[in-house]
Amino acid sequence: MLGLACIGVTGYVAYLGWIVLTQFETRHWDLPAKVYAAPLELYPGRALERDAVVTELQRAGFRRVESLGAAGTYRLGTGSIAIVTRPFRFADGLEPSQAVTVRFEDSRVAAIEDERGQAVAIMRLEPAPLGSIYPSHGEDRLVVDPNDIPTLLGDALKAVEDQRFDEHFGIDLRSIARALVVNVRAGEVQQGGSTLTQQLVKSYFLSNEQTLSRKLNEAVMAVVLELFYDKQALLTAYVNEVYLGQDGARAIHGFGLASRFYFGKTLTDLELHEMALLVAALRGPSYYDPRRFPERARERRDLVLELLAARDVIESDEAVVAKRHDIELVARQGAGTSYYPAFMELVRRQLRADYREDDLATRGLTVFSTLDPRQQDLTERTLTDGLERLEANRALEPGFLEGAVVVTNPHSAEVLAVVGGRRAGFDGFNRALDARRPIGSLIKPAVYLAALETGQYSLASPIDDLPIDVPLPNGTVWSPANFDDEIHGPTSLLRALTESFNMATVRLGMEIGPERVADALARLGLAEAPAALPSLLLGAVDLTPLDVAQVYNSLANGGYRAPLRAVNAVLDTNGQALSRYPIEITEATDPALLYQINQALVQVIERGTGRSARNWLDRSLTVAGKTGTSDEYRDSWFAGFTGDHLAVVWVGADDNSPTGMTGASGALSIWAPLIANVGDTRSFAPTPPASVEETWIEYQTGLAATPRCADVVRLDLAADTPLEAKPGCGLFLRDLGRNVKRWIDRLTD
Amino acid sequence: MDRPADRLIASVCLAVALTTGGCALGPVSGTPSSGGVTESAGPTAASSASPAAVLLAQSQAARADGDYGRAATAIERAVRLEPNDPTLWLEYGRLQLALGNFDQALAQARRAANLAGSDAAISSEASRLIADANRERARAEAAAAREAELH
C-alpha cells in the first residue's frame, strides 16, 4: 500500500516537474515579433511642424530634457529641437547615436545640423514601436539579458519579496510558518509567504486561485526548478516574466518592457526612485498603477525605499533623496494613439504568407511596417468626426453609420493607414479588410479605360446619354437610369465619366462588351476577373476598401499595378534580413491611355461629381478621384489621389440599410478634409507621355475648340486622335494642333 | 518642385560616381563597415544636392559594393520623396537587374522611359537598361539550359 502511494507521489512530482521545466524552457524563447512604424524622414524643405517631430519622438519613447546628454532625449529651443538619437538597427544596418539640431521656419524644416555644425541632407528618426504580434495570451515583453539587470534591482527584489532567496531551495519554510500563523489568526488568507521562485511558477500558470492543492503544486514545481537551474537564471526569468501593467489588450510583462512603458528608458538607465516604483507595482500592478493612482503608487514606492534602507540595500539618505522625486512618467504610448489593430491585422495577413503564426509570436523577429502614425491618427480622427457630422446633419441615429479608410503611397505601394471602423482602437470587425460592398460608379474608370484600349475611342469621342434597354440572359430587360433621372443626350466620353452618367456608360460598355471591362478591372488590381454581366458596368461587384485601394493605386501609379505592402522587411534576432518586400510593378495597361483616364478623374473634382471637395481643398492642389454609390444609397464611396497619397473611403451601415447618401455627400466629405490636412502632399501632376499633344475641346461635345470658346477643357490627347472642329468659335487652321490639321488635311485631300 | 534641376544634379552625381569609382560622393560618408558589422550611413551630410539625389548616390554606392539590402532601402527612401523622377526608377531597375529580377528591371526601365517624357538622355538610359536586362536574361537562360543539358 505504502509502496503504491510512494510510486504515485513520485509519479505526480515527476509530472509537475516535467510541466514546469517545459514551461521554463519555452518561456525562455517566447519573444513576440516587434512591429515598427515607418520612420519619419527629416530633410530641409519638408513641410512639417515641430510638434509633429515631438509627437514622433514621444512615440518612440524619447524624453524631453532641459540639458541634452543621454541618447533618447530631446530639448526644445526657439523654433528648433535638439535630439540625441539612440543607436537603432534599421533594415539596412545599425545607425549609431547622433546629436542633431533641427530648425523650423514657416511650418517647414529649415535646416538640420549635426554636433559638429555640419548640415545634414536627410535623416530618419527611430520609428515608433507599434506593438508586438503576441501569442494568444496577449503578453508582451522586452527580454533583458542577465548582464542588463542592474544589481540594485536584484537586491531590491530580494529585500522586498524574498529575503532568503539566495539560501532557500525554492520554498522558504520560515516565512510559510509565519504566514500560516497570520492567516490562522485572521481566519483567512492574508499573507502569502511565496518565494520569488514560487511567484515565478505562479505567473507561468496564470491563476490566482489560492487553494491548498495549488499551493502544494506550486511548491513542488518551485523546488524542481531550483534543482535544475541556478539562482541567477531564476532571477533573470523572474525579471522577464512578472506582470507589471496593462495597456489595453496588451499585458506588460517583465521589467525591461515596464521601464520602457512607464519611463521611456532602458532598464539599465533607471534611477533608484523609478526602480522602486516598479518594485512597488509588483504587488498589484492595477491597484498601484502609477498612471491611474499616482498617490497610492507613490506611497507604496516610499515604503519600498524605506524597506530597502532598513535592509541595508541602500543608504538611508539615498532613500530620503529618492523619496523627494515626484512620479514622472512618459506619455502613455497606448493611450489611443499607437494602438492600431486594423493596420496590425493587415501586417499579420501579409506575414502569414511567409511565416507561421507561431514563429511570429515566439522568434523575436523585428518587423518594419509601412504605417505612417501621423497619417493613421489623422485618418482615425477624420473618419470619426466625419461620421458624427454626417449623422448630425442628416438627423441619423448616432452610431448608425460606419466607415472604413485605406491610405497608401501609390508609388511605393505602401499602406500608410488603415481604419476599420469608427472605433479605431477597438479590435473588432475590420471593414477596411473584410467588408465586401458593391462599388457602384467607382468602376467607371475601368469601363472608359477598356473603351480607350479598343483604339476606337478617345475622351473626346461622342456617346449618347439616352435610355437603353439591355436584354439579360434570364429574359428580363435592364433599363438603367441616371442618378438625377435626367437624359443628357449626345455628350463627350470626358463629360460622361466626369459627371458619372449611367446611361452613357452602359451604352459604351455594351458597345465594347462587359468582358473587356471585367478584364481591365482585374488587370488594375483584382485577383480574378469579376463575372462579365451587364450590371458590372454600373459597379455590381462586391469589393473591400482594400481591394478598391489596390485598383485605384494602379490609377494613381500611372497604370502600374504594384501589390500593396504593409511590411517592408523582417529581421531576425541578429538583425539579419529574413525577408524584404520590394516594390514590384506590372504594366496593367498602356500608361498613355491611363493618362487620359486620369485627366477625366481630375475633371471629376474640377467640375464633376466630386466638385464639393473644393469646400475643403486648396485651389492650387490638383487631385483626381471618383465617387461611387450603390443601389438605394446603401454604400457611399470615394476613391481619389494626389501626387503622393491615395485614399479610399467607404461609408455605410453595418446592416446594409440605405443611408440616403451618395458618394459625394457621404464619403467625399471625409476624403476631402483628410487630404486637406495631410499637409505634406503635392498635386497630382503626371508627366505627359511623349505621344500626346495639348488640345482644347468643348466639354459637352468633345469637338476641337480653342481657349476662346465657351466651356472648353484643355486635354492632352494622343497626337493621332481624330477630332471634329467646333464651328464658329474662332477656330482657325493655325490654332489647330498638328493632329487636327492632319485630320482636316485628310478630309480635304 | 524643380525636377529637371534634381535630375541634373543626380546625373552629375552619377557621372562623378562613375569617374571616381564612387569615392568622391561627399554625402555618402558612413563609417566603413568593419568586422562584418554593417553600419548604415547614418544621418547624411548635406551637399547642394536634394535629399533624393543624396539617397540615389547612397544607393548606387551600396549597389557597387554589392550591399543590395542597403541599396534597396536607400532607393526606396528616394522614390518616396520624388516619385516622378525617372532617374530614381532607373536605379531601382538597375538594382533589380543586379538581383537577377529581369522582369522588374524591364518594367522599371519602361516606367522610367514613360516618366522621361521628351527627355532624350533619360530615354536612352532607359533603353540601355532594357538592352542590358534582355542580354543578362538571355545569358542566364543559356546558362540554365547548359546546366539542364549536363544533368
Side-chain angles (χ1 to χ4, degrees):
Chain A
M1 245 343 238
L2 193 67
L4 267 181
C6 270
I7 293 169
V9 169
T10 315
Y12 187 61
V13 167
Y15 165 71
L16 291 179
W18 178 74
I19 290 179
V20 75
L21 290 179
T22 333
Q23 191 65 228
F24 189 87
E25 280 302 323
T26 53
R27 280 307 169 106
H28 235 66
W29 304 108
D30 230 12
L31 275 181
K34 207 163 165 32
V35 184
Y36 286 95
L40 180 66
E41 299 271 6
L42 297 180
Y43 49 89
R46 175 161 196 182
L48 197 65
E49 304 276 353
R50 191 181 68 173
D51 281 355
V53 175
V54 170
T55 309
E56 186 68 15
L57 289 169
Q58 285 172 345
R59 284 195 183 103
F62 279 56
R63 284 174 305 121
R64 183 180 169 181
V65 292
E66 290 311 318
S67 61
L68 274 184
T73 57
Y74 65 92
R75 192 193 54 201
L76 296 181
T78 329
S80 72
I81 181 168
I83 308 166
V84 184
T85 67
R86 288 188 286 237
F88 186 80
R89 189 178 292 283
F90 286 92
D92 55 341
L94 183 73
E95 207 155 277
S97 172
Q98 281 265 346
V100 294
T101 303
V102 186
R103 286 178 213 296
F104 297 84
E105 257 167 49
D106 302 330
S107 304
R108 283 184 184 276
V109 176
I112 310 172
E113 282 178 4
D114 65 15
E115 60 257 72
R116 297 183 308 276
Q118 298 281 314
V120 172
I122 181 164
M123 67 176 289
R124 40 192 176 169
L125 292 181
E126 181 179 326
L130 296 181
S132 309
I133 298 184
Y134 331 104
S136 48
H137 46 73
E139 289 179 17
D140 195 10
R141 52 169 56 77
L142 254 174
V143 172
V144 290
D145 290 338
N147 301 335
D148 291 334
I149 300 174
T151 320
L152 181 61
L153 177 63
D155 292 346
L157 285 172
K158 289 182 226 169
V160 175
E161 295 291 326
D162 185 359
Q163 282 191 81
R164 275 175 294 278
F165 177 73
D166 290 324
E167 291 102 53
H168 65 62
F169 53 94
I171 50 177
D172 184 2
L173 294 174
R174 262 199 278 174
S175 70
I176 289 176
R178 199 181 51 237
L180 206 61
V181 172
V182 171
N183 292 346
V184 166
R185 275 196 196 142
E188 59 179 345
V189 181
Q190 282 195 341
Q191 206 170 333
S194 286
T195 63
L196 290 180
T197 323
Q198 281 170 292
Q199 292 181 31
L200 180 62
V201 169
K202 188 172 163 191
S203 168
Y204 282 174
F205 300 101
L206 303 166
S207 163
N208 277 320
E209 227 186 318
Q210 291 250 21
T211 63
L212 188 63
S213 69
R214 241 202 76 89
K215 285 265 154 207
L216 273 176
N217 286 351
E218 212 173 270
V220 172
M221 288 173 163
V223 173
V224 174
L225 274 188
E226 295 266 354
L227 277 174
F228 282 85
Y229 296 98
D230 63 25
K231 294 283 182 185
Q232 182 61 54
L234 294 173
L235 186 67
T236 304
Y238 182 88
V239 163
N240 283 317
E241 174 62 35
V242 285
Y243 173 63
L244 281 163
Q246 194 71 30
D247 180 26
R250 163 186 184 229
I252 307 298
H253 281 258
F255 281 80
L257 184 60
S259 40
R260 275 296 185 100
F261 178 64
Y262 290 114
F263 307 112
K265 292 182 176 182
T266 56
L267 186 52
T268 43
D269 288 342
L270 287 193
E271 292 177 46
L272 172 60
H273 65 99
E274 294 165 330
M275 211 179 279
L277 185 69
L278 293 186
V279 173
L282 261 181
R283 269 299 159 91
S286 49
Y287 187 78
Y288 295 112
D289 183 339
R291 288 204 174 89
R292 284 164 61 208
F293 310 111
E295 281 311 308
R296 197 188 280 169
R298 184 178 183 155
E299 223 168 88
R300 171 133 183 102
R301 177 200 71 180
D302 292 352
L303 205 68
V304 165
L305 286 165
E306 282 162 25
L307 198 65
L308 294 182
R311 294 185 176 163
D312 292 330
V313 177
I314 57 173
E315 302 294 331
S316 47
D317 50 346
E318 281 182 281
V320 172
V321 172
K323 279 162 72 174
R324 281 192 208 124
H325 281 274
D326 286 333
I327 292 187
E328 281 174 13
L329 304 171
V330 80
R332 182 173 179 160
Q333 291 172 17
T337 56
S338 62
Y339 179 57
Y340 305 124
F343 182 85
M344 288 292 271
E345 178 56 27
L346 186 60
V347 168
R348 260 177 202 264
R349 288 189 196 183
Q350 186 184 332
L351 291 177
R352 215 177 278 157
D354 297 320
Y355 296 89
R356 293 184 309 138
E357 193 86 358
D358 193 44
D359 290 339
L360 295 174
T362 60
R363 280 179 55 200
L365 306 179
T366 302
V367 176
F368 289 103
S369 83
T370 58
L371 180 104
D372 177 343
R374 295 183 309 139
Q375 188 65 53
Q376 176 74 28
D377 287 348
L378 172 69
T379 309
E380 290 179 3
R381 257 194 336 267
T382 311
L383 178 67
T384 311
D385 294 352
L387 293 179
E388 281 171 11
R389 192 179 56 236
L390 285 170
E391 283 167 350
N393 291 349
R394 301 174 158 263
L396 294 168
E397 195 187 325
F400 169 68
L401 292 177
E402 262 300 348
V405 189
V406 176
V407 184
T408 73
N409 173 333
H411 311 288
S412 63
E414 292 170 312
V415 179
L416 306 179
V418 176
V419 185
R422 63 194 296 171
R423 287 169 65 203
F426 173 68
D427 193 0
F429 181 46
N430 192 337
R431 292 162 194 82
L433 273 49
D434 295 325
R436 297 187 172 280
R437 297 300 193 114
I439 62 170
S441 299
L442 287 188
I443 196 158
K444 283 178 181 157
V447 179
Y448 289 74
L449 176 64
L452 298 196
E453 284 174 340
T454 64
Q456 309 294 310
Y457 301 88
S458 78
L459 284 184
S461 302
I463 187 87
D464 285 335
D465 187 61
L466 294 173
I468 176 171
D469 294 331
V470 181
L472 297 178
N474 64 7
T476 59
V477 173
W478 181 45
S479 311
N482 278 333
F483 238 96
D484 54 8
D485 277 327
E486 305 234 337
I487 295 167
H488 306 94
T491 178
S492 65
L493 254 59
L494 171 68
R495 181 178 175 221
L497 177 52
T498 301
E499 297 183 33
S500 207
F501 294 159
N502 286 343
M503 294 188 295
T505 303
V506 171
R507 202 168 275 275
L508 180 66
M510 293 313 292
E511 278 178 21
I512 61 168
E515 301 77 20
R516 286 181 187 274
V517 176
D519 177 61
L521 185 65
R523 270 183 281 125
L524 288 171
L526 298 187
E528 55 186 58
L533 302 170
S535 60
L536 176 67
L537 301 173
L538 293 183
V541 52
D542 292 352
L543 298 182
T544 66
L546 185 67
D547 293 334
V548 172
Q550 183 71 68
V551 168
Y552 271 73
N553 201 81
S554 301
L555 304 184
N557 196 22
Y560 294 93
R561 186 177 75 236
L564 291 176
R565 309 173 293 158
V567 174
N568 273 325
V570 179
L571 308 189
D572 66 13
T573 37
N574 302 317
Q576 295 299 310
L578 294 177
S579 324
R580 287 180 191 279
Y581 299 92
I583 305 170
E584 284 183 346
I585 58 167
T586 319
E587 286 124 321
T589 181
D590 177 352
L593 297 180
L594 190 83
Y595 180 82
Q596 314 279 328
I597 296 299
N598 281 341
Q599 292 184 92
L601 298 186
V602 168
Q603 292 304 317
V604 168
I605 306 288
E606 297 305 319
R607 60 193 304 165
T609 51
R611 61 192 176 279
S612 61
R614 286 290 171 216
N615 295 340
W616 289 273
L617 293 178
D618 195 89
R619 267 243 64 88
S620 64
L621 185 71
T622 306
V623 298
K626 187 71 195 79
T627 49
T629 314
S630 70
D631 278 353
E632 298 177 57
Y633 304 94
R634 292 179 198 277
D635 301 281
S636 164
W637 291 92
F638 195 84
F641 44 93
T642 67
D644 295 294
H645 295 90
L646 160 76
V648 174
V649 178
W650 168 83
V651 174
D654 271 350
D655 64 3
N656 208 18
S657 52
T659 65
M661 288 184 294
T662 61
S665 60
L668 179 59
S669 76
I670 289 164
W671 183 88
L674 175 64
I675 294 299
N677 290 316
V678 171
D680 200 15
T681 202
R682 290 167 291 194
S683 278
F684 175 67
T687 315
S691 58
V692 302
E693 212 165 72
E694 184 183 318
T695 316
W696 288 86
I697 66 161
E698 191 181 43
Y699 175 66
Q700 303 259 358
T701 60
L703 296 175
T706 73
R708 288 188 291 277
C709 308
D711 200 22
V712 291
V713 180
R714 210 216 75 173
L715 283 184
D716 291 331
L717 291 179
D720 53 1
T721 307
L723 289 174
E724 216 169 308
K726 161 90 177 165
C729 76
L731 186 72
F732 301 106
L733 270 183
R734 63 183 159 78
D735 296 319
L736 293 175
R738 184 161 43 86
N739 52 322
V740 184
K741 259 185 261 168
R742 232 188 357 250
W743 188 75
I744 292 174
D745 287 348
R746 227 181 298 148
L747 281 184
T748 52
D749 262 353
Chain B
M1 183 185 60
D2 192 4
R3 234 181 347 95
D6 289 354
R7 218 183 287 149
L8 178 70
I9 290 163
S11 315
V12 171
C13 279
L14 180 67
V16 170
L18 290 175
T19 51
T20 63
C23 61
L25 289 167
V28 197
S29 59
T31 323
S33 57
S34 56
V37 179
T38 341
E39 286 215 337
S40 82
T44 308
S47 67
S48 53
S50 73
V54 168
L55 292 168
L56 170 64
Q58 263 184 25
S59 182
Q60 287 165 336
R63 177 164 62 85
D65 284 350
D67 188 346
Y68 299 142
R70 197 183 330 164
T73 303
I75 198 65
E76 286 203 14
R77 290 173 72 194
V79 297
R80 278 184 212 117
L81 301 184
E82 297 297 344
N84 292 326
D85 184 343
T87 57
L88 304 180
W89 293 112
L90 276 176
E91 176 56 23
Y92 206 97
R94 285 274 165 211
L95 178 62
Q96 295 303 316
L97 178 57
L99 290 164
N101 302 330
F102 304 116
D103 284 341
Q104 285 304 305
L106 289 167
Q108 294 295 2
R110 287 193 292 266
R111 166 169 19 198
N114 273 318
L115 286 175
S118 52
D119 186 323
I122 302 284
S123 299
S124 72
E125 190 59 39
S127 307
R128 195 150 44 239
L129 175 53
I130 290 172
D132 289 351
N134 282 326
R135 194 180 52 247
E136 292 290 320
R137 165 183 276 163
R139 200 176 286 165
E141 283 171 356
R146 269 198 309 279
E147 188 86 354
E149 238 166 66
L150 281 173
H151 294 287

